[in-house]
Each structure stands twice: as structure tokens, then as C-alpha cells.
Amino acid sequence: MQSLHVDLGVRSYPIYIGENILSEDLLAPYIYGRQVMVVTNETIAPLYLDDLRKCLTKFQVDVTILPDGEAYKDLQHLNQIFDELLSKRHNRTTTLIALGGGVVGDMTGFAAASYQRGVNFIQVPTTLLSQVDSSVGGKTGVNHPLGKNMIGAFYQPQLVVADISVFKSLVDRELSAGLAEVIKYGLIYDEAFFCWLEENIERLLARDSEALSYAVYRSCEIKAEVVAQDEREGGIRAWLNLGHTFGHAIETHQGYGVWLHGEAVAAGTMMAASLSQKMGCISSDELNRIRLLFEKSNLPVIAPDDMTPEAFLSLMAVDKKVLDGRIRLVLLESLGRATVTDDYPQDQLNAVLQGQ
Amino acid sequence: MQSLHVDLGVRSYPIYIGENILSEDLLAPYIYGRQVMVVTNETIAPLYLDDLRKCLTKFQVDVTILPDGEAYKDLQHLNQIFDELLSKRHNRTTTLIALGGGVVGDMTGFAAASYQRGVNFIQVPTTLLSQVDSSVGGKTGVNHPLGKNMIGAFYQPQLVVADISVFKSLVDRELSAGLAEVIKYGLIYDEAFFCWLEENIERLLARDSEALSYAVYRSCEIKAEVVAQDEREGGIRAWLNLGHTFGHAIETHQGYGVWLHGEAVAAGTMMAASLSQKMGCISSDELNRIRLLFEKSNLPVIAPDDMTPEAFLSLMAVDKKVLDGRIRLVLLESLGRATVTDDYPQDQLNAVLQGQ
């Protein structure tokens, strides 16, 4: 078992990474009252809920089972968690445990931030994407029909347990979606990690434990390093959104859940990388390496056919990174380093939005 | 114009108190972007919205008008604010201004805490209750059918403008409801202020500007002092909830909005004071003085006829102050000093719940 420390002052917390590591000894020290509310979904519950219950023998355990999918990440389903908490009379010493992917983690985190104005929160992410992305950094929230993640809070868990044994039951499409974020970490922060991914992509797709453990560890380490420098996203943290401004527009346009988040991020990252190449920041050879790695990972590298540049611009205009009307984009300064800018040639952006 | 400083480190903010003080010069320095969303309700909008607009000539001003009343302080109506923000494309530099009473303030504050994970927030409270209570301390949120204020956040405004000229249009019942919280400050923290209220209650009810200004100032000062010592309610801040555990039960039982919050607090405070007297902490003479002051303020001093002790206990069991099943109560240690305890004779509590 490996561990990482996310350094956020009084809000610091550990991440444990390893195979078959979930246990009462690991969890119990981070549960302060006697009540626990496990939040999961209808897909994950049959797979892992019993295992988790066996680690909570000392506590009053209640469970909220959400429907599965990004389409249900809204205020209405958030309220389902509050309904359960109140009907089971959970008080402010309760602990919420998110057992699931990014949607479950984001919703449980926001419920924990908001229930009685803040209760204890533990993440047990069950997908690659949630282990490397949403479990680190404290971004929680739900979607609004007019924009993704528009309602939420910064709220840190007490503990994250990333058990890689869950990958055995992860469907291929979800594994690929997670790899999109893993690749992103190499692109924005660590060229050597990007090269390692190029060399090890087949092992990762074959679910080699050692390779997956390393990929999760290094991804969490990069994210923790970035977040520790900039918890509230005033600067460098925005790098983590490489491909996300384009990607969120794709997700919103297609309807939440039609494209997986990681799929939209892959196509969005290719758009950001294309613009970076047009601006001379990366070479066409590097652009091709990025495309090839996404393709090998079975990820989309172009936007949906039916999305016009106008649709992109309209949806991107409500993105959280817009400041006073000008769309700010995360681009590559070089392979392994990102930059945030609103200084790019509009005609080159238009060309990218037209798929050129 | 008087001013107070709420001392919360990086989250500190000023409160300005006075007659006809709302102006662009006062507001503009606290608005950082060019977008403003005013949140108000259908009762307040016709009275003050134009005045406020005249103070925002330099900004893009959009408005959300909520229905009036505690019955609409829920997630569904909170979403109305998000709908407006997103359809008018407000970005994370926007400023939300709450123009209204406690319900508008609590909802706007929670919307500001949650929109894009936190945007700028200004309070312009238009009732006595909201000027002395909800505008200080950063408690924001909405109700759930099973419990009051169960969903929310601690979130501080940048600025509070308490313009006492609004009292001219305040209905008598709302003025009285506000006095309940004013009296509470004397009871928990300042015996001399309680005596001043006994001497000046007629002037306050006659809406004497000088008396009202002082009552607002001293109430905010006490609350600011308490909150600065204990922002997240680990200790002394709970004193502010004198009468609220009983009062919330009354509000939830009667249906939100049937009793005004201040009315429920008055009856609840009498119940807490009665228990304190039974326990020998205050004299029966002091209890009578408290009852008389509430009565002079045209406030209820007993719980609704149809509430049984069982109904109270059941509703009080979901209160945020419950820890591991034992109901903690704010009681009076003496006139002018509160205490939080779960150490009280159950039979004396039962007697109070039976109206004895």
C-alpha cells in the first residue's frame, strides 16, 4: 500500500493506494461519530457495498443508492441524499462515504459540504477516472441544465481510499475514460510521465496491477502538488482543466452522460493541443504523438459531428473560466507544460472548432 | 452612519448602519466585476428595487424575484437563482446582492456560496430580524421538509448595509418578530442591554429612529463579537440559538411561514427560560420580566396549543445541536448569560413541553 499526503493546511488529508486495501482499520480512525451514510449507485452497490459494510461493523450504517449516470447529477437527486440523512436522523457528527465514480463523489462531497453546513466526508472511488481526478482537490457539486458543475463547493475529504482491485470489474469504456485524465497529467506537468504512458499503454489496457498502481499514484501526486499550490484555482490549478472547456461544451451539448467525461476531455484535449500546435507551442510531431496515445486508449480525438463552432462558442461562454466575456483557455506551452491564456488568434480557434 | 467590523480574518467584513445610507459610493467598492444579480422577493421588489438599481448604474444588473415567505426557502426556489444566473451568463466575478429579509438573505448567501463554487455576496437586509440576525455570521441555507436550515453553508458577505429607513414600511408583526432576536441578545450576553430594552420598548414599537439604530447596532455588535470568537459554532456561538431548538420545532410543526421565525423564537425562548427557572438559574421574578417584555413586544409566550411533548421531542431530535442522540439545549445561566448543556432533568423538560 502506498500513501500520499494532500497538503492543504488544516484541510490536509491522506490518499491510500493499493490492491485490496479497504479495511475497518483503515477507515475507522477517520470516522468521528457513530453514524455513517454510504452514498453509492445502483451499478456499484451490488459489486462493493457488502465489502464496505464489512469494514463498518462498529457504526450505524445507512445507505443512499442513486441512479447511475451523469444525467442524475442534479439538485433533485442531491436531495435524495438529504432525504435519507434526515429520515434516518443523522446529526452533524455523521460521516458520508462516497462509494462510486466521479458522479457519486461529486454529489456526496457537495452533500457533505451542505448537510447541516458541513459534515465529515470520505471518498472510496471505484473508477480510474475518480481515483485520479475527482477524489483529489475538493471540487464537489452538481450540474445545471445550462452548465456542468455550476453548483457546488470546495470541500475536502478526510480520507481517500483508492483500491485498484476495483478495476477488475470496470468496463473497458470506463477504463479508457480514466486514461484520458491520466494522459492529461503527463501533458500539463510531466513529459517523462507522458513518455512512460506511451511505453506502457498496452499494460494499462491489459489491467496490469503494477502499471495501474503507478499511473494512479503519479496522477494523484501531480494533482495533489498542483492543488496544494492553488486550492481555490486562482492560478496553476486551472492547468488541470486542459481540454475541459471544450469537453464540458461537448458533454452539455450531447446531453449529460451520452459522452463519458473522460471521452469529452480526450476530444477537448485534442482541440486544445491542435490550437497549441497552430500557435507554434508544440510541433506537429508532438500533436501526432498525443493523438496516437488517445487513439491507442480507445478514446475519441475529434468533437461530435453535429457540433457547430457556434454551438461550442455559446456553451463555452458560460464556462467558469470565462472572465468578463473573454473565453480563457488552457493550452500547452510545450509537451509537459500548460498555460492559461485569453491571448490566442480567434481565427485559429475558429479553425479548431471547425475540426481543421 | 455607524459602522461595525466583523472580525473573521481573511473573511472579515464591515456592517454599515444608519438612515438613508444606501448609495453607489457605499456599494461600488465591494463589487469586483461588472455583473450584479439582485435577489429579492415579490413584496420587497416594489418597495426598494428601484432605489437599489439607482445605486448600481455602473453595472450589468439582473434580478431574481422569489415568492415571499419561509415556505419557499427550499432547494427548488434556490434553483430559481441559479436559473437566472446561468441564463444571464453570470461568471465567477459576479456579485449577488440580497435585498430582503432573512429568507432572501439565507437563500442568496447559499446561492453565492454554491454558484461556481463561490462568488461575491452583499447583504441589504430590509427587516429588523435580518438586520440583527441573519446578516451577521455567515449562516446561509434552505429548509428541508424534515428540518429547518438543514442544507447550507457558512459563507460570509463582503458587506452588509443595514438601512433603518426600511422600518417605515415594515408591518407591525415583522417588527415584533425582529424584537424577539434583539431581546435574545440581552438575555444571552448583556443584562444592561436587556434593561435598556425594558425601558425603551415603547420607543422601539413607535419606530423611533434613534432607539432602533441603537438596538440594531448593539445587537449586531454582540453577534459579531460572538461569531468572531467561534465562526463555525464549536462553542459560544451556540448561545445565539437560545430558544431556537424549541422554536425550530414549532416552525416545522406548524408549517414553514405560519409562525414567523421571531415569533417561534419568542415562544421557544420562554420555554428555555422556564426550564432555566425550574433549574434555579434565574428567579421567577426574572422569568416574569422576560415574559412581560415579550408580551409588550406583541410576541407569543407559549407554544401552539396543538403541539404535544411527543411532537416537540421528535422534531427536536433532528436539530443540528443534537449530538449522539442527546438533545443539547441553550439555557440561561443567569439573566445576561447563556450556557449549552445536555445536563438537565428530563422531567423538568417534560413539564416545560407540557406548558407547565
Side-chain angles (χ1 to χ4, degrees), chain B residues 205-236:
Chain B
L205 290 167
R207 303 179 191 223
D208 176 281
S209 292
E210 196 191 342
L212 281 168
S213 284
Y214 178 70
V216 171
Y217 183 85
R218 182 63 190 138
S219 296
C220 288
E221 192 174 45
I222 291 173
K223 183 155 187 184
E225 217 171 294
V226 170
V227 170
Q229 289 175 59
D230 177 23
E231 185 179 1
R232 311 280 302 203
E233 197 166 314
I236 188 179

Side-chain angles (χ1 to χ4, degrees), chain A residues 69-75 102-103 106-107 141-144 148-149:
Chain A
E70 186 86 28
Y72 306 102
K73 186 179 158 181
D74 56 22
L75 278 180
V103 170
D106 285 3
M107 292 177 76
V142 296
N143 300 327
H144 185 281
K148 200 171 143 69
N149 292 330

Side-chain angles (χ1 to χ4, degrees), chain A residues 3-295:
Chain A
S3 75
L4 267 172
H5 179 77
V6 184
D7 186 10
L8 296 166
V10 293
R11 292 180 301 286
S12 296
Y13 61 91
I15 304 174
Y16 292 100
I17 301 164
E19 203 165 358
N20 294 313
I21 58 173
L22 200 65
S23 71
E24 186 133 19
D25 286 349
L26 192 65
L27 291 174
Y30 298 91
I31 300 171
Y32 310 121
R34 64 181 179 81
Q35 298 178 309
V36 170
M37 176 63 71
V38 177
V39 181
T40 185
N41 71 33
E42 56 202 11
T43 306
I44 297 298
L47 295 170
Y48 303 118
L49 185 55
D50 280 351
D51 292 345
L52 181 56
R53 273 186 189 279
K54 285 178 195 149
C55 304
L56 298 167
T57 58
K58 295 177 192 154
F59 305 96
Q60 170 197 328
V61 179
D62 294 300
V63 180
T64 304
I65 298 184
L66 300 168
D68 184 8
E70 186 86 28
Y72 306 102
K73 186 179 158 181
D74 56 22
L75 278 180
Q76 184 194 333
H77 291 87
L78 181 76
N79 203 28
Q80 199 182 321
I81 305 174
F82 298 130
D83 289 343
E84 285 294 324
L85 284 164
L86 281 161
S87 64
K88 300 289 164 45
R89 304 207 166 182
H90 282 243
N91 62 48
R92 59 166 69 152
T93 66
T94 190
T95 296
L96 271 63
I97 301 184
L99 176 72
V103 170
V104 167
D106 285 3
M107 292 177 76
T108 309
F110 188 40
S114 307
Y115 186 62
Q116 304 208 14
R117 301 196 190 92
V119 297
N120 192 28
F121 169 43
I122 290 173
Q123 293 249 35
V124 183
T126 61
T127 62
L128 177 56
L129 190 119
S130 59
Q131 290 193 0
V132 299
D133 182 27
S134 48
S135 67
V136 189
K139 284 192 177 179
T140 72
V142 296
N143 300 327
H144 185 281
L146 297 177
K148 200 171 143 69
N149 292 330
M150 282 290 160
I151 306 164
F154 285 99
Y155 201 68
Q156 305 297 342
Q158 288 294 302
L159 167 71
V160 176
V161 182
D163 193 322
I164 64 153
S165 61
V166 297
F167 297 154
K168 290 187 186 125
S169 59
L170 197 66
V171 298
D172 289 341
R173 192 178 165 198
E174 292 274 4
L175 185 72
S176 291
L179 286 172
E181 295 278 4
V182 173
I183 294 166
K184 178 199 75 181
Y185 290 114
L187 288 171
I188 63 168
Y189 206 77
D190 185 353
E191 187 181 358
F193 184 47
F194 182 81
C195 297
W196 182 90
L197 289 167
E198 287 180 307
E199 284 157 27
N200 290 276
I201 187 65
E202 284 80 12
R203 282 176 71 201
L204 291 166
L205 290 167
R207 303 182 191 223
D208 176 283
S209 291
E210 198 192 338
L212 282 168
S213 283
Y214 178 71
V216 170
Y217 183 84
R218 183 63 190 138
S219 297
C220 288
E221 191 174 45
I222 290 173
K223 183 154 187 186
E225 217 170 296
V226 170
V227 170
Q229 289 174 59
D230 177 23
E231 185 180 0
R232 311 282 302 204
E233 197 166 312
I236 187 179
R237 181 165 180 165
W239 290 11
L240 298 170
N241 293 316
L242 178 71
H244 283 60
T245 300
F246 299 104
H248 284 171
I250 293 172
E251 285 178 88
T252 305
H253 184 267
Q254 301 304 101
Y256 296 133
V258 177
W259 281 46
L260 294 179
H261 176 63
E263 293 168 342
V265 165
T269 298
M270 277 309 300
M271 297 174 82
S274 296
L275 183 53
S276 307
Q277 186 264 324
K278 285 181 202 302
M279 291 168 68
C281 300
I282 62 170
S283 67
S284 55
D285 176 54
E286 288 169 327
L287 182 63
N288 285 333
R289 283 171 61 196
I290 299 169
R291 182 182 295 112
L292 187 63
L293 186 55
F294 281 131
E295 283 175 347

Side-chain angles (χ1 to χ4, degrees), chain B residues 6-234:
Chain B
V6 184
D7 186 9
L8 296 168
V10 293
R11 293 180 300 285
S12 296
Y13 61 91
I15 304 175
Y16 292 99
I17 301 164
E19 201 165 357
N20 294 313
I21 58 173
L22 200 64
S23 70
E24 187 134 20
D25 286 349
L26 192 64
L27 291 175
Y30 298 90
I31 300 172
Y32 310 122
R34 66 182 176 82
Q35 298 178 308
V36 170
M37 176 63 72
V38 177
V39 181
T40 185
N41 71 33
E42 57 202 11
T43 306
I44 297 298
L47 295 170
Y48 303 117
L49 185 55
D50 280 352
D51 292 344
L52 180 56
R53 274 186 187 278
K54 285 177 195 147
C55 305
L56 298 168
T57 57
K58 296 178 192 152
F59 305 95
Q60 169 199 328
V61 179
D62 295 299
V63 180
T64 303
I65 298 183
L66 299 168
D68 183 8
E70 185 85 28
Y72 307 102
K73 185 179 159 182
D74 56 22
L75 278 180
Q76 183 194 333
H77 291 88
L78 181 75
N79 203 28
Q80 198 182 322
I81 306 174
F82 298 131
D83 289 342
E84 284 294 325
L85 285 164
L86 281 161
S87 64
K88 300 289 164 45
R89 306 210 161 180
H90 282 242
N91 62 47
R92 59 166 70 152
T93 66
T94 190
T95 296
L96 271 62
I97 302 183
L99 176 72
V103 171
V104 167
D106 285 3
M107 293 179 74
T108 309
F110 189 38
S114 307
Y115 186 61
Q116 304 209 12
R117 300 196 190 91
V119 297
N120 191 29
F121 168 44
I122 291 172
Q123 293 247 38
V124 183
T126 61
T127 63
L128 176 57
L129 189 118
S130 58
Q131 289 192 2
V132 299
D133 182 26
S134 48
S135 68
V136 189
K139 283 192 179 180
T140 71
V142 296
N143 299 327
H144 184 281
L146 297 177
K148 200 172 144 69
N149 292 331
M150 281 290 159
I151 306 163
F154 285 99
Y155 200 71
Q156 305 297 342
Q158 287 295 303
L159 166 72
V160 176
V161 182
D163 194 322
I164 64 155
S165 61
V166 296
F167 297 153
K168 290 186 187 125
S169 59
L170 197 66
V171 298
D172 289 341
R173 193 179 163 198
E174 292 275 4
L175 184 72
S176 291
L179 287 172
E181 295 278 3
V182 173
I183 293 166
K184 179 198 76 180
Y185 291 114
L187 288 171
I188 62 168
Y189 206 79
D190 184 353
E191 186 180 358
F193 184 48
F194 182 82
C195 296
W196 182 89
L197 289 168
E198 287 180 306
E199 285 157 25
N200 290 277
I201 187 64
E202 284 80 12
R203 282 175 71 202
L204 291 166
L205 290 167
R207 303 179 191 223
D208 176 281
S209 292
E210 196 191 342
L212 281 168
S213 284
Y214 178 70
V216 171
Y217 183 85
R218 182 63 190 138
S219 296
C220 288
E221 192 174 45
I222 291 173
K223 183 155 187 184
E225 217 171 294
V226 170
V227 170
Q229 289 175 59
D230 177 23
E231 185 179 1
R232 311 280 302 203
E233 197 166 314

